[in-house]
Amino acid sequence: MVARSFQVHHNDSTYGVDYDTGDGLEVFKIQIFSLTSIPPDEQKLIGVDENRVLSDDSDLVAISEKLRLVSINEEQQEKSTAENDELLKSDEELARMLQAEEEALLFQQYAVPEDNGKFEGRVGPYVSQVLMYEDLQRQEAARKTVPIEELEEKALVSLAKEGNSTPSKNEQDHAFLLQLLFWFKQSFRWVNAPPCDGCGKETVFHGMADALPSEIRYGASRVEIYRCNFCPIGSRFPRYNDPLKLVETRRGRCGEWANCFTLYCRAFGYESRLILDFTDHVWTECFSQSLGRWMHLDPCEGVYDKPLLYESGWNKKLNYVIGIAKDGVCDVTKRYTRKWHEVISRRNIITEPALSAVLANVTKDCRRGFTSQVLSVLEDRDEKERQELESSLHSTDNASTSLPGRRSGDKEWRKSRLECGSDESCSLSGSSCPVRACVDKHVTEIHNAFLPILSHFVKEKYPKSRAVEVLETLKGILVDLKKSPFKTRRATINSVSQSLVHQLLPSFTELLNALSMSGKADADGRFDISLAGNAVKTSLALPVALDALDDTINNLNICDNFVEDSLCLPLLKLNRIHSGSVLASGEEIPFGIAMSAFDGLRTSKWEEPNGARGCWIKYKVSDNLMHELVAYEIMSANDAPERDPMDWVVEGSNDGESSWHLLDKQTSQIFDSRFQRKTFKISCQGFLSNVFRFRFLTVRDVLSTSRLQLGSIDLYSRSS
């Protein structure tokens, strides 16, 4: 027995309890009953430090000395009261909003002047603008600049990572559109002040100038002049409106970004709109056949399907948001607000009935000459969208998703526009994330495939330098394969490597199988490697194999004695647990999601925006199979060493997460380099778990960041 002193807090009182832990939880509850009069079967004890409920299996020796007592009856009563209060509050809030909306509409009738063409004059030029996107020459020029096959591959891989290996045409189109957005974000350049045309150094704004004929040709009615502080040349920055020119220059601010990106969307056949925000922003909407609705895409921010970004993230005071397409215009403001009663009070250019009439007339002109069948389809879609916009007005926001302030543009410029928002970290993050399935069986297969290769080296007594040379040759072959077109991927082994490959082919077969590839010698003695299965599986696996090769070469180089006994962790990574599901305390969307911790790739990472002072990630084994964890590895991410985990504990559970068993604890861990892997052996033997939890307690520099990030976590079980 272990004598311990606990501090049990209940309501406004704290009770000191001295207890011999070997007597069990039930006796402990009886002792608390004598102090609080709460029956044992109505007690819920929570460890303050761990924030977890104590169960019969809880280790009373290891738990926090500070406990919180909650009466189950009191908790249920409080929950019921809170739910009723929330419902009452929601009803009152809705009534208040409807009343404010009615008052704003009534005020608008008297305060807003009659329509004098001002609104139509604001929208009209954009109606002409979007017709440029239908020009076949412009579309072809845009398509020629896009690495189409690369984006197709990325789209299919992204679907495969979600477990969708046989996507429909609509799903593929949707995924390709997102990859097009991400590519555009990386390939187009934001201009605060252009670099000097003479010396390339920084410039400062010096005023406006008349456009030259060559600039007017591409719609540049405004030209900004910038002075260089180092040479007399300076720079001109024409604000081109013709997307054909923007495809060439690939630079600008939000107007140029949205203008050019919408052309790209039309070039690949997506039904698209240019979205004009009267409070000075422009973006794109595309109709997603996969979602069955219009989807928001902001190329400047690289954000999609987050229409509340501007109101909730940027703190914009919206008034009019108008969608402009080749077949009509639409007031889509309601998609971008949950404060319609406030927005409508700022709509002071035109009354609502007059606005509807103007938009209807412009749309009628746009659709002049359309067949009755096409008109019927468009009108049906218009009505569905109208209903969707109305229903979305009073929907509940997802409070778990944090929308960032503006990220594009100079920081001082963003501040001057009051668009920085409240999120200083400028990220799209989730304070809670969904359970995500790990599609990573191929990672385990690739690690296992190194066993016959390394075993062959040991059996044939290869010196370490020779083994490294062979692996470097293999890496070169895989690099060539990765560079080849993904649908017809193949590589031919050159004469220098042929004898080597023939000699080692039996040991390489398992790796080729893991890559869905096969090797074959032709009549001339050349050795060809080509696809033997699903091309997407190969695309998914090749980057993993290359990272694994780099890691194996590194571990082999630092191996003191390359013999059979060295064929274990960290050199050889057998019995890696895979195909489970993951849940985390938070994640970065879309490039730092929790699933990325288990995908075997250096290019991805899990990032917890609020994890610097504590966060967690849980891995649940597939089919609830029990595993004895014997080791795990953690890899540092690509950047920001201050975000590296430093202190953590690893726990396992086998009872539905009612209790957790401590498996490992680490403190003051420092990752010396990026993509550095550290291997940790489990000293606690014999405990079987089907859920593993990492509780990260602090990062390397908690004073300089709010974030935690890591490149990967790999779990290894005892062989059966």
Side-chain angles (χ1 to χ4, degrees), residues 79-95 396:
K79 182 179 179 181
S80 177
T81 302
E83 288 176 349
N84 289 335
D85 289 346
E86 189 63 32
L87 287 172
L88 184 60
K89 180 181 177 182
S90 298
D91 289 343
E92 291 175 348
E93 178 69 10
L94 178 59
T396 304

Side-chain angles (χ1 to χ4, degrees), residues 449-579:
F450 281 91
L451 174 60
I453 297 173
L454 296 177
S455 296
H456 179 84
F457 293 163
V458 171
K459 181 181 177 181
E460 298 299 324
K461 297 183 180 180
Y462 276 41
K464 185 170 68 173
S465 60
R466 175 60 173 158
V468 168
E469 180 185 352
V470 172
L471 292 180
E472 290 284 6
T473 301
L474 177 59
K475 178 182 173 182
I477 295 169
L478 296 189
V479 168
D480 288 342
L481 282 168
K482 191 171 184 297
K483 290 178 180 177
S484 61
F486 85 99
K487 294 178 183 177
T488 57
R489 208 181 296 272
R490 65 186 304 113
T492 299
I493 309 305
N494 60 40
S495 58
V496 176
S497 306
Q498 280 179 30
S499 60
L500 174 67
V501 171
H502 281 287
Q503 182 184 356
L504 297 175
L505 180 60
S507 63
F508 287 160
T509 300
E510 189 172 337
L511 179 59
L512 290 176
N513 289 339
L515 295 171
S516 291
M517 306 205 78
S518 62
K520 182 180 180 181
D522 63 15
D524 298 326
R526 291 181 307 179
F527 195 82
D528 289 333
I529 298 177
S530 59
L531 289 172
N534 189 311
V536 177
K537 183 177 179 182
T538 303
S539 296
L540 195 63
L542 262 175
V544 176
L546 285 166
D547 286 353
L549 261 173
D550 275 341
D551 195 44
T552 303
I553 291 169
N554 179 64
N555 286 325
L556 196 52
N557 275 322
I558 61 177
C559 181
D560 293 330
N561 190 17
F562 183 43
V563 294
E564 187 172 355
D565 287 346
S566 64
L567 299 184
C568 59
L569 279 169
L571 180 60
L572 195 57
K573 308 174 189 297
L574 300 177
N575 303 311
R576 178 184 177 276
I577 301 172
H578 62 84
S579 303

Side-chain angles (χ1 to χ4, degrees), residues 12 33 36 90 153 186 271-272 297 339 343 346 386 397 459 522 564 579 619 650 655 679 696:
D12 296 325
F33 169 60
T36 64
S90 298
E153 181 181 11
Q186 296 300 318
E271 290 295 321
S272 309
L297 301 111
K339 302 176 182 178
V343 169
R346 297 190 287 267
R386 187 194 66 77
D397 295 351
K459 181 181 177 181
D522 63 15
E564 187 172 355
S579 303
Y619 184 94
V650 184
D655 60 2
T679 304
F696 296 100

Side-chain angles (χ1 to χ4, degrees), residues 169-285:
K169 175 66 164 55
N170 287 343
E171 289 170 331
Q172 291 181 53
D173 289 344
H174 181 84
F176 182 87
L177 176 60
L178 300 187
Q179 294 302 325
L180 184 66
L181 173 72
F182 302 147
W183 168 82
F184 188 85
K185 170 67 175 171
Q186 296 300 318
S187 64
F188 213 77
R189 183 163 56 92
W190 182 274
V191 175
N192 293 310
C196 176
D197 290 339
C199 65
K201 294 184 178 180
E202 292 183 359
T203 61
V204 294
F205 182 68
H206 192 57
M208 305 296 291
D210 293 334
L212 302 174
S214 60
E215 295 165 337
I216 294 173
R217 178 184 175 191
Y218 294 104
S221 57
R222 295 180 299 141
V223 177
E224 299 172 4
I225 300 298
Y226 289 82
R227 185 184 65 230
C228 179
N229 294 325
F230 301 92
C231 77
I233 296 178
S235 294
R236 296 172 65 87
F237 178 36
R239 303 302 303 274
Y240 293 115
N241 283 320
D242 191 330
L244 179 63
K245 187 64 175 179
L246 297 176
V247 167
E248 174 192 329
T249 64
R250 310 180 77 74
R251 68 175 190 170
R253 301 194 191 110
C254 63
E256 288 91 346
W257 280 65
N259 187 2
C260 193
F261 180 68
T262 310
L263 169 65
Y264 275 104
C265 293
R266 289 298 300 131
F268 287 97
Y270 296 99
E271 290 295 321
S272 309
R273 293 169 170 166
L274 188 66
I275 304 300
L276 172 63
D277 162 26
F278 276 32
T279 60
D280 194 23
H281 191 43
V282 195
W283 59 89
T284 306
E285 280 185 358

Side-chain angles (χ1 to χ4, degrees), residues 52 577 598 615-619 627-634 645-653 659-667 669 678-684 687 689 691-697 710 713-716:
R52 69 174 185 234
I577 301 172
F598 300 93
C615 60
W616 53 265
I617 188 169
K618 292 190 294 187
Y619 184 94
H627 289 268
E628 180 186 350
L629 191 71
V630 295
Y632 65 93
E633 291 186 310
I634 291 181
M646 187 171 73
D647 301 342
W648 65 82
V649 296
V650 184
E651 301 161 312
S653 176
S659 62
W660 293 92
H661 183 80
L662 181 65
L663 300 175
D664 189 46
K665 181 178 182 179
Q666 297 293 330
T667 59
Q669 288 292 333
K678 287 197 170 194
T679 304
F680 303 92
K681 303 258 179 99
I682 303 296
S683 58
C684 169
F687 188 81
S689 307
V691 185
F692 299 97
R693 179 172 70 178
F694 286 74
R695 288 195 293 119
F696 296 100
L697 308 178
L710 52 82
I713 300 173
D714 293 282
L715 307 170
Y716 302 99

